[in-house]
Amino acid sequence: MSEVSLLGPSGTPYVDLSGQRAWRQYTKGDMVCSLQWLDLQAHDPNFPEDGPIPCMVLFHAFRRLEVGAHVIPQRYAYLYGAREGKPTFHFFRGVCDACETLGFDKNDKAAQHRMLDLVIEAMPDLILMPLEQPPALEIQRHRLGIEVTARNGGKTLHSEVI
């Protein structure tokens, strides 16, 4: 049985959250944190790094179409804590933004506390996450089109997908 996913314009899946794609995964109630590699430049050409990079992906445990996922790239993890280990303003603002992205009310203090706990628990692993994605997790581009084969006397001369 093959895996079904939505493909983007480049022929690769938009995103596949957690499961086999995750390096580590955490759950707090109805929130999930997946540490995995994402190619952010494929979705935002202005992102400075090309290829899959380590990210913390926060999403609702019960997938719904009207909500999204919040991504924290490893390269921006330093914004979430001061040298003394204390959370920064950016950390609290990011948690509130993530809660709204996941479909929670911006004033839902219980959701914010769950999100705070989840991010604090997963942040050390995000920092320690390997920079390079394991080769087994590399997403291959799907080949779409029409296969054309030229044969002469039963022997294949040329074959390609257009």
Side-chain angles (χ1 to χ4, degrees):
M1 186 163 135
S2 66
E3 188 174 307
V4 178
S5 61
L6 291 175
L7 301 179
S10 67
T12 57
Y14 271 115
V15 86
D16 190 7
L17 300 176
S18 78
Q20 294 178 350
R21 305 268 326 135
W23 183 64
R24 296 251 195 311
Q25 185 172 315
Y26 303 87
T27 305
K28 286 275 186 219
D30 49 0
M31 297 177 185
V32 179
C33 170
S34 176
L35 300 178
Q36 63 188 76
W37 293 265
L38 296 176
D39 186 357
L40 298 178
Q41 196 177 65
H43 304 290
D44 179 9
N46 295 326
F47 192 77
E49 287 184 63
D50 185 29
I53 61 165
C55 294
M56 177 186 292
V57 184
L58 304 162
F59 58 95
H60 202 289
F62 308 106
R63 311 252 173 107
R64 302 179 316 200
L65 291 176
E66 67 273 3
V67 299
H70 187 82
V71 177
I72 302 170
Q74 184 187 52
R75 73 181 324 211
Y76 297 124
Y78 74 93
L79 294 172
Y80 289 77
R83 252 188 307 203
E84 308 82 41
K86 296 180 182 177
T88 61
F89 173 76
H90 189 82
F91 172 78
F92 292 113
R93 183 72 243 154
V95 164
C96 290
D97 290 346
C99 283
E100 285 187 67
T101 302
L102 272 60
F104 296 99
D105 186 83
K106 65 180 176 181
N107 298 315
D108 185 346
K109 298 297 181 200
Q112 290 174 359
H113 285 282
R114 283 194 311 280
M115 182 66 71
L116 284 167
D117 291 343
L118 188 59
V119 172
I120 287 170
E121 183 181 341
M123 191 57 73
D125 279 340
L126 174 63
I127 293 167
L128 297 173
M129 192 172 169
L131 292 175
E132 295 296 319
Q133 174 178 261
L137 295 178
E138 189 174 325
I139 297 175
Q140 297 296 322
R141 182 178 179 180
H142 291 274
R143 296 185 66 171
L144 302 174
I146 300 170
E147 184 175 348
V148 177
T149 305
R151 291 189 180 113
N152 184 9
K155 185 177 178 184
T156 302
L157 300 175
H158 182 74
S159 181
E160 67 179 88
V161 177
I162 14 180

